[in-house]
Amino acid sequence: MSVPVSTIETTAPPTAAPTEPERRAIPAAACWVISILGAVAGVYYIHQVRQTMQVMMHLMDLSVYQIAGHRVVDGASIYDTPLLGQTRGVWEFVYTPFAALLFVPLVDLHGDVFTYVGAFGNFAMLTASVLAALSMLGYRRDLRLVLIAVPIAGLLMWCEPVRETMAFGQINIFLLMLVLADMALPDSSRWKGVLTGIAAGIKLTPAFFVVYLLVTRRYRAAVTAIGVFAATVLIGLAAMPKDSLSFWSGAFADPTRVGVPENPRNESLRGLLARTIGVQGVHQLLWLAGAFAIAAVCLYLARRLSLTGYELPAVVLVGLTTTAVSPYSWVHHWVWLAPLLVYLADLALRRRGAVTSIGLLIAVVVASGGVIAFFDPTMSSIYDYPAGSHLATFLHNGYIWLTLALFGAAAVALRRSARDALPAPAR
């Protein structure tokens, strides 16, 4: 699988926070088209939820978060035993003590209120994430942008990681919103880094964005993020000293708390290797070396993209990489495919070329799980193709292949951009 080179380019690269005169309005015609498509997609999604509630809105993970909140209130440990059932590696709490404190308000939610908070809360955060992405693309932050973000979020409900996050009531869209909103702030803002620090204080993988801030020389924002992260650790320690000791003394680095790495739904590099060659002994070193190499290449490409004004694709690459190199990444962890689709769609609409359209189509097919659920939500994704064949190896790791293809597209595009910037030879 490959993504066309020009899918990483833009006609007028915006900076992370362009000044207002540089911002552009979304064309009225595009607003109407997107609004109609988004309304149809959103209404059809709601129809499927009503028809198959136990498939598309069971909120199992949100219920587990609620149990974690109950344990905090009752003074019981959240790490000693699984939150649900007795099987190790199933329904164990894998977030920080600070995250458990954030789940305490869920204790008082019951019945339909619980369902509405889970569903509409995630949709509202997805809409906010779209707003942040569009802002990073240089669009004018006005009422029209707010209104168009809603139908775009409706379209993104058919991105498989978003759809699964909604179904499980997962926290991933919340983390996506925090990081995107933070990266959309101007570098001069004293608040830049705060939301990234909070995100890392909830789940450790967003801490990779601190490294991104460092390599792009936004040192104040990086220090702010580190300081806020440290504050979340101290808050957790003060409120839950025993659990904090358990988590930071080893529980945070134990991937078995999530499950076996060869699980077909583990869409990370470690999952890919576990399903093909295993992850014991030398294979464990191979995974670590591969993860380090992918992270290093990502930071190199993201730095160059950011310094040349392509902030959103740079941030998206970092987000995808955090998921790719994580020891365990469920499908719903890949919500960074949502802003990728926003970027590619914007590019395809403005360039109106076959290459960018093909790139968008490839990304849509991969991110939607083969658009199977659009026709029948009870059907499996293409990533559930039976194991034991070369096709299964390809399909089970579709997100990894897409990420690596985007690396290649970014590298070639940056090289082409640098070549075009060279002065013409003297005659």
Side-chain angles (χ1 to χ4, degrees):
M1 177 185 300
S2 63
V3 175
V5 169
S6 60
T7 59
I8 205 71
E9 300 176 313
T10 61
T11 54
T15 60
T19 59
E20 286 304 319
E22 297 175 344
R23 291 187 174 272
R24 48 199 168 87
I26 297 178
C31 284
W32 281 108
V33 173
I34 294 172
S35 296
I36 293 172
L37 292 176
V40 171
V43 169
Y44 185 55
Y45 175 84
I46 294 173
H47 168 73
Q48 287 199 345
V49 169
R50 290 172 61 88
Q51 294 295 315
T52 56
M53 181 69 75
Q54 293 305 311
V55 175
M56 298 190 67
M57 197 58 63
H58 51 78
L59 300 179
M60 282 297 298
D61 283 5
L62 192 64
S63 298
V64 172
Y65 298 159
Q66 188 180 55
I67 294 172
H70 274 290
R71 288 199 182 184
V72 172
V73 172
D74 296 338
S77 173
I78 56 175
Y79 298 113
D80 288 351
T81 59
L83 298 181
L84 193 64
Q86 301 297 322
T87 305
R88 297 309 303 263
V90 180
W91 304 118
E92 293 201 54
F93 195 72
V94 296
Y95 303 111
T96 65
F98 175 74
L101 295 174
L102 298 183
F103 296 141
V104 169
L106 295 175
V107 169
D108 295 325
L109 302 181
H110 305 283
D112 290 342
V113 174
F114 181 79
T115 302
Y116 292 147
V117 168
F120 291 105
N122 257 327
F123 185 78
M125 290 185 286
L126 179 62
T127 302
S129 301
V130 172
L131 273 171
L134 293 175
S135 177
M136 294 172 73
L137 286 172
Y139 285 105
R140 190 176 301 153
R141 291 174 290 200
D142 53 15
L143 180 60
R144 177 180 291 186
L145 194 69
V146 175
L147 294 177
I148 201 63
V150 176
I152 291 176
L155 288 168
L156 289 175
M157 298 306 297
W158 297 100
C159 174
E160 185 176 37
V162 171
R163 191 170 64 241
E164 288 212 1
T165 294
M166 293 288 293
F168 282 92
Q170 258 280 343
I171 199 171
N172 306 300
I173 295 177
F174 177 55
L175 299 176
L176 173 72
M177 179 192 70
L178 291 178
V179 175
L180 276 178
D182 201 11
M183 296 299 151
L185 290 173
D187 292 343
S188 59
S189 173
R190 68 179 63 182
W191 301 104
K192 194 176 184 77
V194 171
L195 296 180
T196 298
I198 293 174
I202 296 171
K203 183 179 180 180
L204 298 182
T205 49
F208 190 55
F209 281 93
V210 178
V211 184
Y212 168 68
L213 291 172
L214 289 172
V215 300
T216 52
R217 301 181 181 180
R218 286 173 272 198
Y219 301 122
R220 184 174 68 177
V223 170
T224 299
I226 293 171
V228 172
F229 170 74
T232 67
V233 174
L234 292 177
I235 291 172
L237 181 62
M240 306 166 62
K242 180 182 177 182
D243 278 331
S244 292
L245 180 62
S246 297
F247 183 79
W248 295 111
S249 64
F252 76 94
D254 183 6
T256 61
R257 294 180 62 85
V258 184
V260 294
E262 63 269 19
N263 189 313
R265 304 293 279 180
N266 181 11
E267 286 286 328
S268 70
L269 177 66
R270 189 167 186 257
L272 186 159
L273 294 175
R275 289 188 295 268
T276 52
I277 61 175
V279 288
Q280 302 300 321
V282 68
H283 297 155
Q284 178 80 354
L285 297 178
L286 179 62
W287 165 61
L288 292 172
F292 178 83
I294 289 176
V297 172
C298 166
L299 290 172
Y300 170 76
L301 293 172
R303 180 179 184 276
R304 290 192 59 192
L305 286 168
S306 178
L307 295 180
T308 51
Y310 301 100
E311 186 66 14
L312 182 58
V315 170
V316 167
L317 280 186
V318 176
L320 292 174
T321 298
T322 63
T323 315
V325 302
S326 175
Y328 209 105
S329 294
W330 296 98
V331 170
H332 50 70
H333 290 169
W334 286 85
V335 291
W336 281 97
L337 290 172
L340 171 67
L341 294 177
V342 171
Y343 172 72
L344 294 180
D346 173 74
L347 183 60
L349 287 172
R350 291 194 289 124
R351 292 182 66 93
R352 300 178 184 273
V355 176
T356 53
S357 297
I358 292 173
L360 173 61
L361 179 61
I362 292 173
V364 166
V365 171
V366 174
S368 66
V371 297
I372 291 176
F374 188 81
F375 302 101
D376 184 352
T378 64
M379 295 176 65
S380 297
S381 160
I382 59 173
Y383 306 123
D384 289 329
Y385 188 88
S389 68
H390 294 299
L391 182 59
T393 299
F394 179 77
L395 293 178
H396 276 310
N397 308 291
Y399 297 156
I400 297 291
W401 306 134
L402 178 61
T403 300
L404 296 178
L406 289 169
F407 280 14
V412 175
L414 285 168
R415 182 177 180 182
R416 179 178 295 175
S417 178
R419 182 191 61 196
D420 293 343
L422 293 175
R427 294 184 181 275

